[in-house]
Amino acid sequence: MTAREIFEGIRKKDRLALSKGVTLVESLRDEDRSQALELIGLCHREAMQSRRIAISGSPGVGKSTFIESFGLSFVGKGESVAVLAIDPTSSISKGSILGDKTRMEELSRSELAFIRPSPNREEAGGLGISSYEISILCEAAGYDYILIETVGVGQSEIAARYLCDLFILILQPGAGDELQSIKRGIVEIADLFVVNKYDGSFREQAEKTRLRFLAEATRDEVSTREVILYSSIRHYGLEAVATFIEGFYEGKNLRDLTKRRDAYWLSKKLEKGIVELCLKRHRQEIDRIISMIEQGVDDPFPLVRDFLTDLDTASNR
Ligand SMILES: Nc1nc2c(ncn2[C@@H]2O[C@H](COP(=O)(O)OP(=O)(O)OP(=O)(O)O)[C@@H](O)[C@H]2O)c(=O)[nH]1
Ligand SMILES: [Mg+2]
């Protein structure tokens, strides 16, 4: 299939075409790259309709179950949902992709849902430039919501922040006791905290966790952040989350959000490309310097400095 054919399929919300597109974009083969770029270009012209929401949190906190219950509520209203589940363990155990799919079993049966687990390949947490490109394909397919599941480790929360408009952090009841252990950065960037598993024996602890995070979330007086108690099992808290999301998007221009996102990811792409080009061009020289250092040259620092000075002079010419 050509890029144009895949694009035509995507525009008709044909999920098979969308899957093909995603596979093409994810491909590491050089010969797929120009097709992939053509497809992304075509899709980008169509894009800018979707609401993008990141769902982050520690392993096992209930992200997939939340997405399933939440996604089903959208689908129930006739809205379409694309889920990109970043699976941090899939590179280690092949079975976990199936695990995630199963947890969204009901959602995956809906005509209005597209669920795509992505292997963690590029960066910490699995979010990288290809996730941004895939999200553009989903936008072109006209999904009302793009939900991105990511484990809040390392750089992934920053990447998720720049992939999405809204960042939801799911918390385990009792998580407040170890507030210090949750990465400071992730608490700062979250727009909404959801204390999950507000059911059975977890209830009391969930309430305590809510109060702890409420103090944290509203430290800044103008903050509009909230902490919501939720149970995927009891379908508790769904309305509160939906209301928060509506309020969040009120008065926001999706086009502006898109421009900011494009600027971030395309600058990343540019930087990555420049480094790759430069490394390719100077490979021999770099290898020569490294092998001299490995052989124990007396004073290795000037070697590196002189090389960089020459490079700078050459690029100024
Ligand atoms: N009691 C209770 N258990 C829940 C709730 N939501 C999820 N769970 C359970 O928590 C466990 C983990 O749920 P997942 O949705 O797979 O969690 P996750 O955060 O996606 O996990 P990873 O993707 O592996 O990081 C499962 O056994 C769920 O059944 C809830 O609202 N209440
Ligand atoms: Mg999961």
Side-chain angles (χ1 to χ4, degrees), residues 59-65 100 103 149 196-197 199 231-233:
V61 74
K63 299 175 293 294
S64 301
T65 318
D100 251 32
R103 257 164 234 158
E149 172 177 344
N196 195 26
K197 309 192 185 178
D199 48 50
S231 166
S232 300
I233 292 177

Side-chain angles (χ1 to χ4, degrees), residues 56-65 169-173 175 194 196-197:
S56 192
S58 314
V61 74
K63 299 175 293 294
S64 301
T65 318
L169 182 63
I170 313 263
L171 300 163
Q172 178 78 18
V194 169
N196 195 26
K197 309 192 185 178

